[in-house]
Amino acid sequence: MPEVFADLVGQDEAVVELRRAAAAAAAVLRAGASALVPAGPASGDTVAADDAATGGVDPSTGMTHAWIFTGPPGSGRSVAARAFAAALQCVHGTGCGECPGCHTTMGGTHADVRMVVPEGLSIGVGEMRALVLRAASTPSGGRWQVVVIEDADRLTEAAGNALLKAIEEPPPRTVFLLCAPSTHPDDISVTIRSRCRVVPLRQPPAPAVAEVLVRRDGIAPDVAQWAAAAAQGHVGRARRLARDPEARKRREAVLAVPRRLTGVGAAFDAASALIEAAEAEAEASVTEADTTERAALETALGAGGTGRGAAGAMRGAAGQLKELEKRQKSRATRAQRDALDRALVDLAGFYRDALTMALRAPVAPVHTDTAALAGAGAQKWDAEGSLRRLEAVLACRAAIEANVKPRIAVEAMMLALWKG
Ligand SMILES: [Zn+2]
């Protein structure tokens, strides 16, 4: 296995900072110190005391308890967090990729590393409290307790408060790694933000994405280059496009939308088709998990029973099934939104291509396979018309993000794309 930061594509500055922090963390352990330098407002009062304990590690480059990884989707926020977690558990303190600490963390089986991946639209307070409680225990491997929270922007307010408490008074060997799109107050509360060190990731350039697809996934170079450009810097999406014919088919259907918009009726048809495709994609991705979960729960609860207390047990079972259904519904909604958003990003790429062509900007197209079509659009619409259409797609994304019903937002977008 190569060293743990190898898959963090195009993020050289972040990697330098994380390596430095991991080395500082290892130094803390070697010194047998129990405290870290907290980030944020508290650091002013405690730096002097901690300095002695950490052997004078510079707080700006040293280790701290709470981190936020920010960046656009696909930039590798959770990849960075996992790699950093591995470097913290690495027996050499470097993230060598070879030792048991690195191996188990990267494989998702390290006893002291917990990855929280919300399945629904939000992370609830119950889940967060349980997590914080476990995170306070002594690390079984003698190094750190690491909690990675993917999509920290999906914390409920109550869950955020539970987390804030833990970050404000961190257990001595616990490290929180949060991932969020940005440090905007909509994504992460100002108080949590003020206690964390921020690691900004950028959208990785297409050549860097293509390189990792070739090196790690064994994908042919020409396919990798095409997929990296089409995925607009989203590493996971690029890999799916390169490997999954279904994903390629769905993308082609989305990119066929602009030439199908020949009238009002066609615009509504295109809206329905886009929504239904997102629903179908989402259903395919969650149905199997739903069925497995339900079967497992029913087995765990047992079927029937006539003894004393059976009625009470049945009531409890009904409650648990209801809870499971609620969670599954939330996950399905999320999967639908994600699928629709991917489609909108593809569509935005098409109009962006038309715009850059109308402006004769010397940049490569996002979608090489529809470049001719985008060129025709550029001639017909000019820069202004292309820009208005691009803005219509982006407005649709923003509306759905703001909880406008997807069908309504998509219909409005299709009409705007048709009218220009
Ligand atoms: Zn290692």
Side-chain angles (χ1 to χ4, degrees):
M1 188 155 92
E3 57 94 26
V4 296
F5 292 108
D7 288 341
L8 196 52
V9 184
Q11 312 291 353
D12 298 348
E13 284 165 36
V15 169
V16 168
E17 181 176 1
L18 294 174
R19 278 190 207 284
R20 216 179 272 158
V28 170
L29 293 179
R30 274 197 304 275
S34 61
L36 289 170
V37 184
S43 60
D45 340 313
T46 50
V47 155
D50 283 339
D51 244 15
T54 55
V57 172
D58 175 359
S60 65
T61 56
M63 184 54 192
T64 190
H65 275 292
W67 299 71
I68 302 179
F69 296 86
T70 65
S75 57
R77 297 179 305 229
S78 56
V79 176
R82 185 185 292 257
F84 186 41
L88 291 175
Q89 306 295 10
C90 174
V91 298
H92 308 292
T94 56
C96 66
E98 307 288 343
C99 74
C102 286
H103 256 280
T104 51
T105 305
M106 296 304 274
T109 58
H110 196 293
D112 298 330
V113 178
R114 255 167 292 281
M115 303 281 293
V116 184
V117 187
E119 293 196 325
L121 292 171
S122 58
I123 306 174
V125 64
E127 195 180 344
M128 186 51 66
R129 286 209 183 110
L131 192 76
V132 164
L133 205 64
R134 285 186 64 189
S137 59
T138 308
S140 60
R143 297 186 73 86
W144 307 97
Q145 281 281 4
V146 184
V147 178
V148 179
I149 302 177
E150 288 188 35
D151 299 322
D153 53 311
R154 285 174 165 140
L155 292 172
T156 62
E157 199 183 334
N161 288 337
L163 174 65
L164 177 62
K165 246 183 170 164
I167 292 180
E168 276 177 340
E169 291 160 32
R173 288 289 181 83
T174 305
V175 180
F176 290 93
L177 308 179
L178 281 51
C179 306
S182 76
T183 54
H184 189 280
D186 282 353
D187 286 338
I188 204 95
S189 83
V190 175
T191 39
I192 291 183
R193 154 77 188 84
S194 71
R195 302 279 171 174
C196 295
R197 193 178 304 162
V198 179
V199 181
L201 303 176
R202 60 195 181 116
Q203 182 172 309
V209 175
E211 189 271 325
V212 82
L213 293 187
V214 172
R215 173 171 53 78
R216 190 182 51 188
D217 303 300
I219 289 162
D222 54 333
V223 177
Q225 272 161 26
W226 165 81
Q232 304 178 58
H234 191 308
V235 183
R237 170 93 175 127
R239 185 176 304 118
R240 243 187 329 272
L241 281 177
R243 279 183 163 172
D244 179 3
E246 287 299 312
R248 281 202 291 273
K249 235 188 274 170
R250 282 192 293 266
R251 171 181 168 277
E252 274 162 28
V254 168
L255 291 177
V257 162
R259 62 170 173 264
R260 286 178 52 191
L261 296 173
T262 50
V264 178
F268 279 102
D269 287 348
S272 286
L274 199 65
I275 297 277
E276 278 151 27
E279 283 170 0
E281 184 185 343
E283 199 176 312
S285 72
V286 299
T287 303
E288 201 185 304
D290 282 2
T291 316
T292 317
E293 276 175 6
R294 192 181 172 100
L297 182 58
E298 279 171 352
T299 309
L301 294 172
T306 51
R308 209 185 298 174
M314 290 275 284
R315 274 198 299 278
Q320 285 190 49
L321 275 174
K322 216 171 180 175
E323 187 56 39
L324 177 68
E325 277 166 13
K326 204 174 112 195
R327 216 167 54 228
Q328 291 181 339
K329 192 163 173 250
S330 169
R331 178 169 63 195
T333 308
R334 161 104 184 267
Q336 267 175 36
R337 278 201 200 175
D338 288 351
L340 187 56
D341 197 57
R342 271 193 296 278
L344 293 174
V345 169
D346 283 345
L347 205 52
F350 175 85
Y351 291 108
R352 174 249 185 224
D353 286 347
L355 176 63
T356 55
M357 287 176 196
L359 293 172
R360 298 179 203 292
V363 291
V366 170
H367 302 298
T368 44
D369 41 358
T370 54
L373 205 63
Q379 286 209 324
K380 200 163 118 195
W381 306 322
D382 219 344
E384 234 173 90
S386 305
L387 178 61
R388 274 200 305 278
R389 286 171 173 84
L390 173 58
E391 281 173 344
V393 180
L394 300 179
C396 178
R397 285 186 80 194
I400 292 170
E401 188 63 42
N403 276 327
V404 172
K405 220 166 166 271
R407 183 173 288 272
I408 292 177
V410 172
E411 282 173 355
M413 175 191 77
M414 290 297 184
L415 286 174
L417 292 179
W418 166 59
K419 283 192 248 168

